[in-house]
Amino acid sequence: MKIGLLIIDMQNVFLRGFKNKGALEDMTGYINYVADLLRSNGHCIVLVQDVEGADDPDSELFDVIPEIQVGEQDIRIRKEASNAFWDTKLQEILIENEVDLVIVSGFAAEHCVLFTYNGAIERGFQAVMLQHGILSLHDEAVQSTYQYRNVISHPVVEWLMSSSRS
């Protein structure tokens, strides 16, 4: 099984002034751990950057926050809609990389994360959200986004990596 991890909108413009630093630190730790595990096993990492309405999308405001570790082989795409599949090459990238399972992580849980999760399902991908890997300005939005959706924990990702080697 080939896995694609989507890291959505983890950008300075959205998170530079994020008040709950503990939640941000915990969440980026989970994302970095899973991303590193997947990278080291030849899976696909896609950084999705929202540039909707940007006068200068190359500005440091639209860069990925420094807390997210970016690998050389990671793929970057820019989007201008809440669903990262809309009017981008994301679907083609996942197909080219033979991705079967899409793990969605990032910011904001109730907006771009949820819409991209739904977009993955609509396009026939198996989709899950990374447990402890999504964030919102509203704490209750994270729990409500997880509710009734498929969620995967990092121990399960570890198990998938070890079982694929056997």
Side-chain angles (χ1 to χ4, degrees), residues 120-137:
I121 291 171
E122 289 166 354
R123 285 157 181 84
F125 294 99
Q126 293 179 24
V128 294
M129 291 190 189
L130 180 60
Q131 186 179 39
H132 305 298
I134 65 174
L135 197 62
S136 173
L137 294 174

Side-chain angles (χ1 to χ4, degrees), residues 30-166:
Y30 275 93
I31 291 173
N32 289 332
Y33 179 81
V34 169
D36 188 51
L37 182 62
L38 292 172
R39 271 186 214 107
S40 65
N41 284 279
H43 295 273
C44 180
I45 311 299
V46 181
L47 297 154
V48 179
Q49 294 171 266
D50 190 332
V51 295
E52 183 178 0
D55 290 331
D56 180 10
D58 294 319
S59 153
E60 77 166 34
L61 275 177
F62 294 93
D63 284 348
V64 173
I65 60 172
E67 292 88 347
I68 293 292
Q69 298 165 359
V70 179
E72 276 182 27
Q73 68 275 34
D74 293 355
I75 300 165
R76 292 179 188 249
I77 66 163
R78 290 180 173 179
K79 68 178 180 70
E80 293 190 19
S82 297
N83 178 348
F85 287 93
W86 185 257
D87 204 21
T88 70
K89 299 282 186 194
L90 181 56
Q91 181 172 353
E92 290 86 352
I93 289 166
L94 297 176
I95 291 169
E96 286 170 12
N97 284 277
E98 301 175 342
V99 169
D100 303 299
L101 176 67
V102 175
I103 300 175
V104 182
S105 66
F107 180 82
E110 71 279 28
H111 297 292
C112 298
V113 169
L114 179 57
F115 298 149
T116 300
Y117 171 87
N118 290 336
I121 291 171
E122 289 166 354
R123 285 157 181 84
F125 294 99
Q126 293 179 24
V128 294
M129 291 190 189
L130 180 60
Q131 186 179 39
H132 305 298
I134 65 174
L135 197 62
S136 173
L137 294 174
H138 313 284
D139 292 337
E140 68 280 359
V142 171
Q143 289 311 312
S144 67
T145 300
Y146 281 136
Q147 192 172 17
Y148 308 119
R149 305 223 167 54
N150 296 317
V151 178
I152 194 168
S153 64
H154 73 79
V156 173
V157 176
E158 290 170 349
W159 178 82
L160 288 171
M161 296 301 96
S162 66
S163 68
S164 69
R165 284 185 235 149
S166 354

